[in-house]
Every structure is written in C-alpha cells, then in structure tokens.
Amino acid sequence: MAENKESFMDELSKLAEITNIVEDSFLSKGDVSVVVELPEDDYKNLMSHFRELDRNKNKCTIEISGVNFNFVLKT
C-alpha cells in the first residue's frame, strides 16, 4: 500500500508540473481546466485514493494552483 500511495503522490507531482507550465504561459490569464476521460479500471484506481464517500461519483476534480484537473468515467 505504501508503494501505491507513493506512486499516487508522484502522479500528483506531475500534475503540479503541468500547473507550473500553465502559470508561466499566456494561459495563466484565463480559467484553465483539463478534462481526462478514464476507462473504468483506471478511474476506480484513481478514486481508491480518496475518501470512501467520494468513490461512487463519476467525476473527480483535483485543483492545483487554480488549474482544475477533471477526471471523468469514460462511458
């Protein structure tokens, strides 16, 4: 489980890097949202890192420095 959490933190760090790139570009003047459609297995894996209360939703938003990363279950 520790490796799983470490891996998730690595993925969050990558999202933070994307946010830094956006902040240093002309895009920083607008509202920025990134939408990622995930297949069911990948989406469930992502949701396993959050509270059980949130796991049954079909959409998850992670906001980092004003950039919204919207993860949705691909249908």
Side-chain angles (χ1 to χ4, degrees), residues 15-25 65:
L15 295 180
E17 289 178 34
I18 293 169
T19 299
N20 288 337
I21 292 168
V22 169
E23 287 178 336
D24 291 339
S25 74
S65 298

Side-chain angles (χ1 to χ4, degrees), residues 1-64:
M1 184 70 167
E3 182 179 315
N4 195 16
K5 284 185 179 182
E6 185 176 304
S7 175
F8 182 66
M9 292 304 292
D10 291 342
E11 296 304 317
L12 286 178
S13 293
K14 292 175 187 177
L15 295 180
E17 289 178 34
I18 293 169
T19 299
N20 288 337
I21 292 168
V22 169
E23 287 178 336
D24 291 339
S25 74
F26 71 95
L27 298 173
S28 66
K29 306 235 185 295
D31 293 331
V32 178
S33 292
V34 177
V35 178
V36 180
E37 287 185 297
L38 293 171
E40 186 174 2
D41 289 344
D42 293 330
Y43 186 79
K44 284 182 178 180
N45 182 38
L46 170 70
M47 295 306 288
S48 72
H49 297 282
F50 298 102
R51 300 178 305 170
E52 190 171 333
L53 176 68
D54 297 324
R55 292 183 187 167
N56 294 325
K57 297 182 179 180
N58 292 333
K59 178 181 175 185
C60 170
T61 301
I62 300 173
E63 187 268 331
I64 302 175

